[in-house]
């Protein structure tokens, strides 16, 4: 086997430009994580293993024959639902939420599975009834979406629920949800807003109020917001330099390697670093939208657009909460935050994108 | 499943729509990215100077300052709960606990660290927060502090601190009254969060539990303060930049007279039971005792598992506050109230008499409800029925007026629902009626049920607090007040004392001559020939009372123990009373578990308390009012 053929096997099904961007973001991730964990080699090596596993899985799903994506959609969805229900009853509770399921041989978070299963299933459904789409199809699709979202909210895991909801919404929207229906939903939502406030728990109201005035409770709910604003702001244009962020090195910044890693990054690499990350993210999203617009089947097009836009929502919600314009919900910074599960589901999504990219001529009918 | 064939025409129109929607989405993305960009530029460029100062020049750390907890005084200004400062050994919060136990072991070579301490440290480690130091040892003696200081250089991360501890000078005597201060649990934190109070507590904080400490937590607590301190690049404190001072908690003045507690405690000896004494004129609580008590100090640093187990499994159940959470059949102490029900409902008059053969039978039934006196009391009127505690009279009364009247008057005196005392955990007791029985057991109410209720030996259950409140109502004659322990709340900043106002629970709306009749009968209970004559002999004031004896018919909660079984099957002794009879100043209820007869076991305790309260005395301190 020649070097060329090995390269061909490895890269034939990869969208190389996107792969390069992904690896570049991982590069940033490795640097920042090492600094955020104050030079912990142990954490770094775990992170590298996570990345490697995720990349291998991305390669696998990119090399899967395209039709398989159709076939696994529905089974994946129902297995996911079953696991979610199981989690509700026999899941492990940690930090007040019941998210993990121990199946004996592996511990997993069924809600993460739904980030892939929901868009695949909804896309499969719309593709199947493409010719005869009527309002009832959209209603059934919403039901299919709302069930897992409600189960995830119940855990409670607001961050994941938002991402799953977004991934499903994009499919429904691009499948041609009539604009009047969409408009009706928007109006209903706005009308319900004042009443929703009444129904919120005290601590949920607190989160919203914290957003308005984090200094009301500087050691409690406002702490994350204040410290990350100081970290980001003091980074300035050029940043304080790698491993030199005082906020993160002196332990002022909580969860610096997971949900708040963007603050560490902004402190040490400044606006300049953020621009570089922004360009890389921008390229991945641009490429994804490009792939979506060229996709040959409705299924492929919907899946591609959903994966891409959900990736955007990931980044937007995380950066929004770190910069203090959104309430704190647990959403990691895509491809940068420490944590294996989110890396795996994100790269599975991007692997599907590559699969669609490489198969657009093959499936053309 | 294969998807159906597609029509090209349909798809092309779909694609046009798709492109339009994609365009709209792109616009939305650009706007969202613009918002983020604007925010980041605002933070990093426009506010750069501001945040640089906050982060780079002044590395500010926020250090919480726990407020001093409010003190608690009795009605004469005697301190019941106070704070004292003691040395502590504290470890700064660590990221990694790598050598934590090594440090602890090192210290234990110099200063004693018990297994209890270690267990407590383990608990703290599990709940530590980034802001709070970990206390390795509390309450060091001066000598121990000196030993540590001489060796302090070996333990750079450990420092000598000082903390406020809670002290209860009267210990067990006030344990059920005051409760204790203990570590906040996860459940507490959740509750505080719901009340919007979460930000006033640290994860390692302590809060009041049970008793007055628990009920008045928000007043006693005060408000958390913060120091904003500058630290160097190694994290060491350089100076305090700004302080947001803590607000100390408010002081509480109770209506309790600690000397009454002491007198009651002494009279109780080792017996179990409860005593609640009230001022019938406003419902303020003069004494509140549940025996046995517990040592509140056990809880102050966090109770260890062994101590907790010992308290939990003791057959004496020292953690149960019998005064509010012990429910007992009222026995004969219910009779004055039911006699009033008879008079008020018109079923009895002052001149009404009956002949007591020593038992009562329901019409058409052969079953005999027996009087405690085998051959009966002869001719009995209402007065004699109370003085001699004649059962037959009350069997017939119950039979004649029926359960609904008995229920109504029970409720009117506050039986069957919590009294609203300012201590949480009060039980409702039980004022039974047919609806209740139907709901609880799905069974019909029988006339026999009414008969047993009539002498306080049926389904009726009362707490000592309820009994005291009802007795105070009887003494007052017009109003039943909500019992209240705290009389004044004092703000520590301006010393301003805010007094609580008496809260009427019910207006009794009784006829004066009926009240007078009961009143005289209860006075005669304490005179020669009455059931409490012995206990009242030689008193310098007159008092009114009623004895009661409640049969024990279950052994709920207690383990079978042959040596103790006889004692624990004995009847509960009860006594209600008020004095001076002419102008009552104090009304009380005493319960002695398995004490035997009310007249001999419970009444002498009441006598001691009355003597202490009513005998002229040298004032201990100035009355706070």
């Amino acid at each position: 086997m020649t070097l060329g053929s090995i390269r061909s096997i490895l890269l034939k099904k990869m969208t190389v430009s996107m792969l390069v961007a992904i690896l570049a973001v991982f590069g940033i991730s490795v640097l920042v994580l090492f600094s955020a964990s104050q030079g912990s080699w142990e954490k770094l090596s775990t992170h590298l293993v996570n990345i490697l596993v995720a990349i291998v899985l991305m390669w696998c799903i990119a090399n899967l024959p395209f039709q398989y994506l159709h076939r696994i959609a529905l089974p994946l969805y129902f297995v996911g639902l079953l696991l979610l229900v199981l989690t509700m009853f026999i899941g492990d509770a940690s930090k007040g939420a019941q998210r993990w399921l121990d199946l004996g041989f592996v511990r997993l978070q069924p809600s993460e599975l739904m980030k892939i299963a929901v868009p695949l299933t909804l896309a499969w459904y719309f593709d199947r009834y493409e010719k005869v789409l009527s309002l009832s199809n959209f209603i059934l699709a919403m039901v299919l979406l709302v069930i897992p979202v409600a189960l995830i909210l119940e855990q409670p895991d607001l961050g994941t629920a938002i991402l799953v909801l977004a991934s499903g919404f994009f499919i429904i929207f691009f499948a041609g949800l009539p604009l009047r229906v969409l408009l009706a939903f928007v109006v209903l939502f706005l009308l319900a807003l004042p009443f929703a406030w009444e129904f919120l728990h005290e601590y949920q109201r607190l989160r919203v109020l914290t957003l308005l005035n984090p200094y009301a409770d500087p050691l409690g709910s406002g702490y994350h917001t204040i410290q990350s604003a100081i970290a980001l702001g003091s980074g300035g244009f050029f940043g304080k330099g790698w491993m030199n962020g005082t906020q993160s090195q002196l332990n002022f910044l909580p969860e610096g390697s997971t949900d708040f890693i963007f603050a560490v990054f902004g402190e040490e690499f400044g606006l300049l670093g953020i621009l570089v990350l922004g360009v890389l993210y921008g390229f991945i999203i641009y490429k994804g939208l490009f792939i979506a617009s060229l996709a040959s089947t409705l299924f492929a097009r919907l899946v591609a657009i959903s994966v891409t836009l959900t990736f955007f929502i990931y980044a937007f919600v995380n950066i929004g909460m770190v910069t203090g314009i959104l309430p704190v919900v647990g959403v990691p910074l895509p491809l940068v935050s420490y944590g294996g599960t989110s890396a795996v589901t994100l790269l599975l999504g991007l692997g599907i994108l590559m699969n669609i990219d490489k198969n657009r001529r093959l499936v053309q009918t | 499943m294969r998807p159906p064939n597609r029509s090209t025409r349909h798809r092309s129109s779909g694609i046009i729509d798709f492109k339009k929607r994609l365009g709209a989405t792109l616009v939305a993305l650009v706007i969202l990215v613009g918002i983020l960009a604007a925010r980041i530029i605002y933070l990093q460029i426009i506010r750069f100077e501001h945040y640089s100062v906050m982060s780079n020049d002044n590395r500010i750390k926020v250090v919480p300052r726990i407020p001093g907890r409010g003190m608690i005084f009795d009605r004469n200004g005697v301190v019941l709960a106070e704070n004292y400062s003691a040395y502590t050994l504290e470890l700064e919060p660590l990221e990694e606990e790598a050598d934590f136990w090594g440090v602890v072991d090192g210290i234990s070579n110099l200063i004693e660290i018990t297994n209890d301490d270690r267990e407590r440290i383990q608990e703290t480690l599990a709940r530590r927060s980034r802001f709070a130091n970990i206390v390795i040892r509390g309450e060091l003696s001066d000598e121990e502090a000196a030993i540590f200081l001489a060796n302090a250089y070996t333990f750079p991360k450990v420092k000598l601190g000082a903390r406020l501890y809670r002290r209860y000078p009267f210990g067990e005597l006030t344990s059920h009254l005051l409760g204790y201060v203990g570590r906040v649990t996860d459940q507490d934190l959740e509750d505080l969060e719901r009340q919007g109070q979460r930000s006033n507590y640290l994860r390692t904080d302590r809060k009041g539990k049970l008793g007055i400490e628990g009920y008045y937590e928000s007043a006693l607590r005060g408000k958390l303060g913060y120091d904003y301190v500058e630290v160097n690049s190694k994290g060491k404190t350089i100076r305090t930049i700004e302080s947001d001072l803590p607000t100390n908690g408010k002081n509480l003045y109770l209506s309790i007279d600690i000397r009454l507690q002491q007198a009651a405690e002494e009279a109780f000896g080792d017996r179990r039971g409860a005593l609640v004494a009230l001022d019938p004129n406003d419902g303020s609580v003069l004494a509140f005792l549940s025996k046995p008590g517990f040592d509140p100090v056990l809880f102050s640093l966090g109770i260890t598992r062994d101590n907790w187990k010992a308290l939990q499994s003791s057959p004496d159940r020292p953690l149960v506050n019998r005064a509010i959470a012990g429910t007992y059949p009222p026995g004969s102490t219910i009779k004055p109230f039911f006699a009033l029900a008879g008079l008020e409902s018109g079923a009895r008059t002052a001149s009404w008499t009956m002949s007591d053969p020593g038992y009562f039978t329901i019409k058409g039934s052969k079953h005999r409800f027996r009087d405690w006196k085998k051959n009966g009391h002869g001719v009995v009127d209402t007065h004699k029925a109370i003085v001699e505690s004649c059962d037959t009279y009350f069997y017939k009364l119950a039979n004649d007026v029926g359960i609904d009247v008995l229920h109504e008057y029970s409720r009117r005196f506050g039986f069957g629902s919590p009294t609203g005392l300012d201590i949480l955990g009060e039980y409702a007791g039980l004022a039974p009626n047919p609806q209740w029985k139907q709901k609880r057991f799905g069974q019909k109410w029988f006339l026999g049920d009414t008969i047993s209720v009539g002498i306080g030996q049926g389904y009726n259950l009362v707490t000592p607090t309820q009994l005291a409140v009802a007795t105070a109502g009887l003494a007052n004659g017009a109003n039943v007040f909500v019992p209240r322990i705290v009389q004044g709340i004092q703000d520590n900043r301006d010393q301003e004392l805010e007094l609580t106002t008496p809260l009427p629970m019910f207006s009794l709306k009784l006829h004066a001559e009926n009240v007078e009749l009961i009143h005289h009968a209860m006075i005669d209970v304490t005179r020669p020939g009455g059931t409490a004559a012995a206990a009242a002999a030689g008193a310098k004031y007159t008092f009114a009372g009623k004895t009661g004896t409640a049969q024990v018919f279950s052994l709920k909660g207690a383990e079978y123990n042959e040596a103790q079984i006889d004692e624990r099957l004995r009847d509960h002794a009860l006594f209600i009373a008020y004095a001076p009879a002419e102008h009552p100043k104090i009304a009380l209820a005493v319960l002695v578990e398995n004490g035997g007869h009310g007249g001999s076991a419970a009444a002498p305790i009441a006598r001691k308390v009355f003597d202490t309260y009513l005998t002229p005395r040298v004032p201990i301190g100035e009355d706070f009012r």
Side-chain angles (χ1 to χ4, degrees):
Chain A
M1 202 181 269
T2 64
L3 203 67
S5 69
I6 290 176
R7 188 201 285 158
S8 138
I9 287 172
L10 284 181
L11 294 181
K12 200 175 81 186
K13 297 285 185 177
M14 298 271 107
T15 306
V16 177
S17 59
M18 189 187 266
L19 183 64
V20 169
I22 292 170
L23 292 178
V25 177
F26 274 139
I28 290 177
S29 163
V30 167
L31 281 180
V32 185
L33 183 90
F34 189 68
S35 172
S37 61
Q38 286 154 30
S40 160
W41 290 102
E42 198 187 323
K43 213 163 188 178
L44 187 70
S45 52
T46 317
H47 189 53
L48 285 171
V49 170
N50 284 344
I51 291 177
L52 204 68
V53 169
I55 289 178
V56 169
L57 286 173
M58 175 175 75
W59 185 86
C60 290
I61 203 156
N63 280 275
L64 210 63
F66 182 72
Q67 297 82 346
Y68 277 44
L69 292 178
H70 270 274
R71 276 181 224 161
I72 59 170
L74 209 53
L76 206 59
Y77 177 82
F78 282 113
V79 169
L81 268 194
L82 183 74
L83 294 179
L84 272 180
V85 172
L86 276 178
T87 313
M88 214 161 106
F89 293 109
I90 58 165
D92 294 350
S94 75
K95 287 188 186 172
Q98 201 153 334
R99 297 176 186 169
W100 292 87
L101 190 64
D102 198 339
L103 291 178
F105 57 98
V106 64
R107 253 169 67 86
L108 52 84
Q109 235 175 318
S111 54
E112 287 289 332
L113 187 65
M114 278 308 189
K115 287 182 187 168
I116 299 294
V118 161
L120 282 181
T121 302
L122 291 184
W124 167 85
Y125 177 74
F126 283 118
D127 185 273
R128 187 177 157 76
Y129 293 100
E130 186 184 1
K131 271 197 302 184
V132 291
L133 273 185
S134 69
L135 193 59
S136 60
N137 294 101
F138 286 103
I139 290 169
L140 185 65
M142 286 181 205
V143 172
L144 285 176
L145 173 58
V146 164
I147 294 169
V149 169
L151 285 171
I152 296 169
L153 266 180
E154 183 60 30
Q155 292 182 343
D157 185 351
L158 187 57
T160 308
I162 289 174
L163 291 172
V164 172
L165 184 69
S167 72
F169 168 77
F170 292 132
I171 301 267
I172 295 175
F173 178 68
F174 282 98
L177 176 71
L179 288 178
R180 321 169 247 120
V181 180
L182 180 66
L183 204 68
F185 270 110
V186 171
V187 169
L188 260 178
F189 175 75
L190 290 178
L191 285 179
L193 222 48
F195 300 101
W197 181 257
E198 294 296 318
F199 281 101
L200 286 181
H201 287 294
E202 189 65 41
Y203 74 91
Q204 286 166 327
R205 292 185 194 175
L206 201 66
R207 276 195 185 172
V208 179
L209 294 176
T210 300
L211 197 62
L212 304 175
N213 178 19
Y215 286 92
D217 183 11
L219 284 196
S221 48
Y223 186 81
H224 283 55
T225 313
I226 294 171
Q227 296 302 337
S228 59
I230 295 175
L232 276 172
S234 62
F237 187 76
F238 293 104
K240 294 174 185 170
W242 186 54
M243 304 283 285
N244 275 327
T246 51
Q247 283 292 106
S248 42
Q249 301 303 323
L250 288 177
N251 280 325
F252 277 105
L253 204 59
E255 292 171 56
S257 49
T258 52
D259 287 358
F260 279 77
I261 200 164
F262 186 75
V264 180
F265 179 62
E267 182 183 25
E268 300 192 346
F269 295 91
L271 187 58
L272 202 59
I274 292 177
L275 278 177
V276 172
L277 182 65
V279 166
L280 291 171
Y281 277 163
F283 179 78
I284 292 172
I285 291 163
Y286 158 76
K287 196 71 194 171
L289 293 179
F290 187 73
I291 291 169
S293 64
L294 289 184
S296 51
T297 69
L298 181 64
F299 173 80
R301 203 190 315 140
L302 291 179
V303 170
I305 197 94
S306 165
V307 166
T308 309
L309 291 178
T310 306
F311 185 89
F312 172 80
I313 294 292
Y314 243 109
F316 179 77
V317 171
N318 178 275
I319 299 176
M321 79 188 195
V322 175
T323 53
I325 58 174
L326 290 178
V328 175
V329 290
V331 171
L333 188 63
L335 309 182
V336 181
S337 285
Y338 179 75
T341 0
S342 77
V344 166
T345 43
L346 276 162
L347 284 205
L348 279 180
L350 295 177
I352 292 174
L353 266 185
M354 293 182 184
N355 191 323
I356 292 168
D357 184 33
K358 292 296 171 185
N359 285 307
R360 67 170 172 252
R361 270 163 298 300
L362 301 178
V363 218
Q364 197 92 40
T365 47
Chain B
M1 264 182 274
R2 297 293 306 166
N5 284 334
R6 291 180 187 78
S7 103
T8 338
R9 185 178 50 80
H10 199 92
R11 180 143 40 99
S12 61
S13 77
I15 286 205
I16 293 167
D17 190 44
F18 178 85
K19 293 244 152 105
K20 270 192 203 157
R21 289 182 182 224
L22 188 58
T25 308
L26 279 176
V27 172
L29 291 199
V30 169
I31 292 172
L32 291 178
V33 170
I35 293 172
L36 281 188
R39 175 68 181 171
I40 292 170
I41 289 171
Y42 171 78
L43 288 174
Q44 296 202 298
I45 306 297
I46 300 175
R47 299 281 281 168
F48 171 64
E49 293 286 329
H50 170 80
Y51 285 119
S52 279
V53 170
M54 281 184 84
S55 143
N56 222 3
D57 299 337
N58 300 314
R59 298 180 179 97
I60 300 166
K61 218 166 198 155
V62 188
V63 181
R65 289 177 61 177
I66 312 261
R69 196 171 175 82
M71 292 172 66
I72 304 177
F73 303 94
D74 90 338
R75 67 186 299 116
N76 298 309
V78 178
V79 174
L80 302 184
E82 63 186 341
N83 309 311
Y84 66 97
S85 179
Y87 291 120
T88 53
L89 282 185
E90 306 188 5
L91 200 68
E92 285 177 12
L94 301 168
E95 268 309 297
E96 306 293 330
E97 58 189 81
D99 199 30
F100 182 81
W101 290 105
V103 174
V104 173
D105 287 338
I107 287 175
S108 70
N109 292 331
L110 298 170
I111 292 164
E112 190 190 5
I113 290 177
T114 62
N115 282 335
D116 283 0
D117 286 323
R118 284 173 188 270
E119 200 182 303
R120 203 172 29 70
I121 294 167
Q122 189 67 57
E123 285 255 325
T124 318
L125 276 177
R127 315 181 46 82
R128 80 206 147 112
S129 78
R130 57 176 38 248
F131 309 112
N133 290 342
I134 299 160
V135 176
I136 298 175
R137 243 298 298 272
E139 298 192 81
L140 266 67
S141 66
D142 290 351
E143 194 183 336
E144 285 173 321
I147 292 173
F148 172 76
L149 282 180
N151 295 279
Y153 64 93
T154 3
F155 308 101
K157 286 259 175 192
V158 181
K159 62 174 199 174
L160 193 64
R163 290 193 174 209
L164 290 177
Y165 289 90
R166 198 73 162 157
R167 174 157 57 202
Y168 304 98
F170 294 94
E172 269 195 52
L173 182 60
T174 54
S175 55
H176 285 293
L177 168 69
L178 299 178
Y180 60 90
V181 172
R183 188 180 286 150
V184 291
T185 61
D186 289 336
Q187 184 59 49
D188 289 334
L189 291 177
E190 272 172 40
D191 295 344
L192 289 166
E193 181 126 25
R194 227 170 291 122
Q195 297 156 15
Q197 283 290 317
R198 176 66 184 86
S199 62
N200 203 19
Y201 292 81
L202 305 175
R203 268 165 60 88
T204 48
D205 232 318
R206 284 172 297 164
K207 77 183 277 286
K209 313 261 172 121
L210 306 179
I212 295 295
E213 295 272 26
Y215 192 92
Y216 288 95
E217 169 65 15
S218 60
L220 289 165
R221 165 73 184 176
K223 198 174 169 300
L224 205 60
Y226 301 102
D227 278 345
Y228 295 83
V229 300
E230 183 186 332
V231 292
N232 66 14
S233 58
K234 294 235 160 44
K236 281 268 173 231
T237 304
I238 298 168
R239 68 192 169 101
T240 301
I241 292 169
E242 204 185 307
S243 283
D244 188 348
L245 290 175
T247 310
N248 285 344
K250 294 172 177 170
N251 295 334
L252 300 182
Y253 285 88
L254 313 188
S255 51
I256 298 287
D257 187 331
I258 193 65
R259 294 167 315 152
L260 299 194
Q261 298 270 119
Q262 285 169 319
E265 161 95 4
E266 208 171 288
F268 259 101
D270 287 336
R271 292 175 294 178
R272 283 163 283 111
L275 177 144
V276 178
L278 307 168
D279 183 336
N281 302 301
D282 60 6
S284 59
V285 181
L286 303 172
F288 183 94
L289 186 69
S290 171
K291 292 267 299 171
F294 54 86
D295 181 1
V297 174
L298 290 179
F299 291 89
S300 73
L301 280 168
I303 190 163
T304 59
R305 205 163 296 134
D306 287 348
N307 283 333
W308 177 250
K309 257 201 190 140
L311 283 176
Q312 280 286 16
S313 58
S314 162
D316 285 344
R317 297 195 289 156
L319 292 180
V320 175
N321 189 340
R322 289 169 165 78
I324 53 169
T327 55
Y328 307 87
S332 302
T333 57
I334 202 75
K335 286 176 180 169
F337 304 98
F338 285 166
L340 256 176
L343 293 166
E344 289 286 319
S345 65
R348 297 290 178 267
T349 61
S351 54
W352 187 93
T353 59
M354 65 177 276
S355 175
D356 169 22
Y359 59 87
F360 172 78
T361 49
I362 299 173
K363 228 182 205 155
S365 152
K366 284 202 177 108
H367 179 74
R368 289 181 170 186
F369 291 90
R370 298 200 166 276
D371 193 285
W372 63 267
K373 200 169 175 183
K374 202 166 173 234
N375 297 318
H377 299 263
V379 176
V380 180
D381 63 0
T382 306
H383 181 92
K384 187 175 175 187
I386 290 175
V387 176
E388 294 187 10
S389 202
C390 171
D391 289 337
T392 312
Y393 173 93
F394 287 96
Y395 291 140
K396 181 157 173 53
L397 175 71
N399 179 68
D400 293 356
V401 300
I403 186 62
D404 289 335
V405 170
L406 297 185
H407 179 75
E408 187 204 326
Y409 280 85
S410 297
R411 300 289 302 190
R412 197 183 282 191
F413 279 96
F415 296 116
S417 50
T419 62
L421 180 74
D422 41 356
I423 287 184
L424 294 178
E426 217 185 327
Y427 279 36
L430 183 57
N433 65 358
Q435 287 80 14
W436 166 80
K437 191 181 177 190
Q438 185 62 43
K439 214 171 138 194
R440 175 73 177 75
F441 296 112
Q443 284 173 6
K444 227 178 111 222
W445 183 270
F446 298 108
L447 188 50
D449 293 332
T450 309
I451 307 297
S452 335
V453 165
I455 60 156
Q457 243 0 306
Y459 291 114
N460 22 11
L461 289 172
V462 303
T463 68
T465 298
Q466 283 175 334
L467 210 48
V469 168
T471 307
L474 210 53
N476 183 292
N479 288 304
V480 180
F481 286 96
V482 174
R484 201 121 295 259
I485 297 172
V486 168
Q487 298 301 304
I489 301 178
Q490 183 182 41
D491 198 304
N492 255 316
R493 285 169 298 186
D494 49 17
Q495 304 299 312
E496 200 172 299
L497 191 61
E498 182 195 325
L499 296 177
T500 56
T501 46
L503 212 61
M505 190 183 335
F506 299 108
S507 181
L508 284 170
K509 301 201 176 69
L510 302 171
H511 294 93
E513 66 275 16
N514 292 337
V515 176
E516 203 57 15
L517 195 161
I518 302 299
H519 184 65
H520 284 297
M522 284 177 71
I523 291 174
D524 283 345
V525 166
T526 70
R527 293 204 166 131
T531 50
K540 294 195 176 67
Y541 47 89
T542 49
F543 74 94
K546 181 71 195 80
T547 57
T549 303
Q551 284 161 14
V552 175
F553 35 75
S554 83
L555 276 172
K556 261 181 277 168
E559 304 249 313
Y560 182 78
N561 184 329
E562 208 172 38
Q564 286 180 325
I565 196 76
D566 281 341
E567 199 252 319
R568 287 186 186 255
L569 279 174
R570 290 212 301 245
D571 295 341
H572 295 323
L574 290 149
F575 188 59
I576 60 172
Y578 53 89
E582 304 75 32
H583 303 287
K585 287 181 178 169
I586 178 170
L588 57 70
V590 190
L591 166 107
V592 182
E593 275 188 12
N594 315 114
H597 191 264
S600 55
I605 299 175
R607 170 68 190 278
K608 278 266 170 56
V609 172
F610 284 165
D611 280 354
T612 312
Y613 193 62
L614 298 173
T615 309
R617 58 180 195 253
V618 186
I620 298 181
E622 235 172 289
D623 194 305
F624 70 91
R625 282 176 193 265

